Amino acid sequence: MSNRMWGGRFASGPAEIMEEINASIGFDKRLAPQDIRGSLAHVAMLGQAGILPAEDVAAIEAGLKSVRDEIEAGTFVFKRELEDIHMSVESRLTEIVGTAAGRLHTARSRNDQVATDMKLWVRDTLDSLDQQAADLQRALAEKALTHAETVMPGFTHLQSAQPVTFGHHCLAYVEMLARDRGRFRDARARLNECPLGAAALAGTSFPIDRHATASALGFDRPTANSLDSVADRDFALESLAAASICAVHLSRFAEELVVWTSAQFNFVRLSDGYTTGSSIMPQKRNPDAAELVRAKSGRIIGALTGLLVVMKGLPLAYSKDMQEDKEGTFDALQALSLCLAAMTGMVKDLEPNAAVLSQAAGSGYATATDLADWLVRELGLPFRQAHHVTGRLVGAASAKGVGLEELSLAEMQEAEPRITEAVYAVLGVENSVASRTSYGGTAPVNVRKQAQGWIERLG
């Protein structure tokens, strides 16, 4: 039996495998709220434009609200033979209001309908992700304020470089998330044009008011070209790109948590709420939440790559290939939402091991740059010469197996005779971080100011 929604041209129904590959109701049913919002805006416009009589508009609006109630109540039956959410809603609407339901599709196509539904869903999701990212920023800024003076090693090449503070490290991710939120907002602004009314690809001969439907659905304006309206999936690609960059940021932090919670580092501790045990090793506390955040970045990046490949060879306007935009986009943005929630929980939960962090901050000759700066500032050495002198002192300390601060003044003066006792004041890690007062530096006074500023901005 042919599909009664579009089967006039066909004498028989689709092959079983055709139904299997063609049906999207299994995943696009999550667009039901957006589909009904779009249909309500469309039928209201059809009535206002005099295209449909008032009685049909009223019947369709009442029927759509009934369908929405059934879906929200979980009593709606999604039928695979109806292919997608659009036909499923229209079929049920027909059962409720009769032939008037068939007039709902006047002056539109499933092509502009699905583009509108997807834009609405992505827009709603971007708003939610933006709020979740703000929540994570707030948690990080609060942690930064608490630990503005907690000294820890800063790394380059995963080697001890210079002392920083734990609060300063947290604020680095606040800045990354600020850029992520900017990308979410940019993507939202660009997608906020309404495709509804572009119909299949060429527009329509009916005297529709696309500005009215755009306004009713919260769009800034209708899309300007009917071909582009139904062929565009830039909004999904850009959102996935923003999500991928955000996921990479979360993955980098997750990787640090995995390293930091190891027995070898012991920099921070996560509670039982964000760790798991081993089935055979009772001593284990595994940072599984962080590991899964790290792993999920792969599927988010994969969704972006997958959709880019789907779109790269498609001629204008709509092709069925574009049905493949949904599962990857749904999955990726849902995964990012879960990652943001998990990371926010871990940030609130974690406790730095201040004693271990302080000891590690002084290892690896992390104050060597402070020594070089002192030689420049106090003795007037060119930095390259100061770098050379400092390198000799690091070599001497390393040969003895001691820290720079443990070298005697006489040993230091072998490298540079003008060095005085005052040099020891810059070799402590607390003095080192306190001295980094340049804008954006790690000095506790900077960290407190930046953290308080973010907390006030985030509300």
Side-chain angles (χ1 to χ4, degrees):
M1 178 179 178
S2 63
N3 186 319
R4 61 190 175 93
M5 305 300 287
W6 53 261
R9 167 67 176 80
F10 296 83
S12 62
E16 183 177 346
I17 194 64
M18 178 59 191
E19 183 176 305
E20 183 70 22
I21 196 172
N22 192 49
S24 61
I25 190 62
F27 49 85
D28 70 14
K29 62 185 178 184
R30 74 168 61 194
L31 294 174
Q34 290 79 19
D35 194 71
I36 291 172
R37 279 163 58 190
S39 290
L40 285 168
H42 183 67
V43 73
M45 179 276 296
L46 292 176
Q48 291 162 6
I51 298 170
L52 292 189
E55 59 270 23
D56 283 349
V57 171
I60 291 169
E61 287 178 338
L64 285 170
K65 291 173 183 177
S66 295
V67 174
R68 181 182 61 196
D69 291 343
E70 290 178 9
I71 291 172
E72 290 176 353
T75 59
F76 187 91
V77 179
F78 294 98
K79 299 176 181 178
R80 187 174 182 80
E81 64 270 18
L82 294 175
E83 294 186 22
D84 57 32
I85 186 59
H86 322 298
M87 286 189 168
S88 295
V89 169
E90 186 174 336
S91 175
R92 179 62 181 136
L93 181 65
T94 301
E95 293 173 352
I96 295 172
V97 305
T99 56
R103 297 188 172 91
L104 172 60
H105 211 53
T106 303
R108 76 173 183 184
S109 161
R110 280 191 295 175
N111 295 352
D112 61 334
Q113 191 177 354
V114 70
T116 303
D117 291 358
M118 276 295 286
K119 279 196 170 186
L120 289 171
W121 187 90
V122 170
R123 190 179 69 184
D124 291 344
T125 304
L126 288 175
D127 290 342
S128 177
L129 291 172
D130 179 71
Q131 184 57 57
Q132 285 190 283
D135 292 342
L136 178 51
Q137 282 184 294
R138 189 178 301 106
L140 285 161
E142 289 171 353
K143 192 69 69 172
L145 188 60
T146 301
H147 293 281
E149 297 185 20
T150 302
V151 179
M152 68 173 289
F155 297 96
T156 61
H157 309 280
L158 202 55
Q159 306 294 314
S160 292
Q162 293 177 268
V164 295
T165 67
F166 191 80
H168 192 58
H169 199 103
C170 289
L171 288 176
Y173 286 100
V174 174
E175 296 293 332
M176 293 182 211
L177 287 160
R179 296 192 296 273
D180 291 328
R181 294 181 65 201
R183 279 182 281 269
F184 293 153
R185 290 192 294 269
D186 287 347
R188 189 195 195 282
R190 261 184 291 278
L191 73 76
N192 210 34
E193 296 181 345
C194 184
L196 195 59
L201 77 161
T204 178
S205 59
F206 288 95
I208 62 173
D209 184 351
R210 293 190 62 210
H211 288 86
T213 49
S215 177
L217 293 170
F219 289 103
D220 295 330
R221 63 191 69 84
T223 50
N225 182 282
S226 60
L227 287 167
D228 179 56
S229 300
V230 299
D232 166 40
R233 290 301 181 271
D234 291 3
F235 64 91
L237 289 168
E238 186 172 8
S239 299
L240 289 172
S244 296
I245 296 171
C246 183
V248 168
H249 290 154
L250 299 183
S251 183
R252 293 181 73 178
F253 193 18
E255 168 67 9
E256 291 184 323
L257 292 180
V258 171
V259 172
W260 290 352
T261 56
S262 68
Q264 289 72 24
F265 272 74
N266 194 27
F267 281 5
V268 301
R269 179 180 175 85
L270 289 169
S271 75
D272 294 351
Y274 290 93
T275 56
T276 64
S278 166
S279 61
I280 64 170
M281 295 173 283
Q283 83 281 7
K284 294 293 292 300
R285 181 190 290 271
N286 300 322
D288 281 8
E291 291 173 4
L292 288 167
V293 168
R294 183 177 60 184
K296 286 183 185 297
S297 64
R299 68 196 298 170
I300 296 168
I301 296 166
L304 170 60
T305 303
L307 185 54
L308 284 167
V309 173
V310 167
M311 297 300 297
K312 70 176 181 62
L314 298 186
L316 296 182
Y318 180 83
S319 296
K320 193 70 170 183
D321 311 52
M322 293 164 67
Q323 182 171 291
E324 292 298 312
D325 65 343
K326 296 174 188 61
E327 287 179 284
T329 302
F330 294 157
D331 180 79
L333 298 188
Q334 181 179 8
L336 181 60
S337 175
L338 183 58
C339 289
L340 285 165
M343 190 59 76
T344 302
M346 284 187 283
V347 167
K348 291 179 178 180
D349 182 80
L350 67 85
E351 285 299 327
N353 188 335
V356 172
L357 287 170
S358 180
Q359 182 179 8
S363 66
Y365 306 103
T367 57
T369 305
D370 297 277
L371 173 55
D373 288 346
W374 185 89
L375 293 170
V376 172
R377 188 172 58 251
E378 301 299 326
L379 303 184
L381 269 63
F383 184 80
R384 288 303 172 199
Q385 185 180 346
H387 187 284
H388 179 72
V389 170
T390 302
R392 287 181 59 192
L393 291 172
V394 168
S398 179
K400 291 185 65 176
V402 299
L404 282 171
E405 70 279 4
E406 296 175 89
L407 289 176
S408 68
L409 181 59
E411 289 171 319
M412 288 201 175
Q413 289 174 338
E414 289 178 10
E416 170 50 59
R418 290 181 293 162
I419 293 177
T420 67
E421 289 279 355
V423 75
Y424 291 100
V426 303
L427 297 181
V429 292
E430 286 79 12
N431 291 333
S432 174
V433 297
S435 72
R436 306 293 174 182
T437 55
S438 60
Y439 184 79
T442 191
V445 64
N446 287 4
V447 172
R448 281 191 291 271
K449 184 177 180 180
Q450 292 274 11
Q452 288 169 343
W454 273 113
I455 290 168
E456 289 171 7
R457 274 177 280 175
L458 293 164

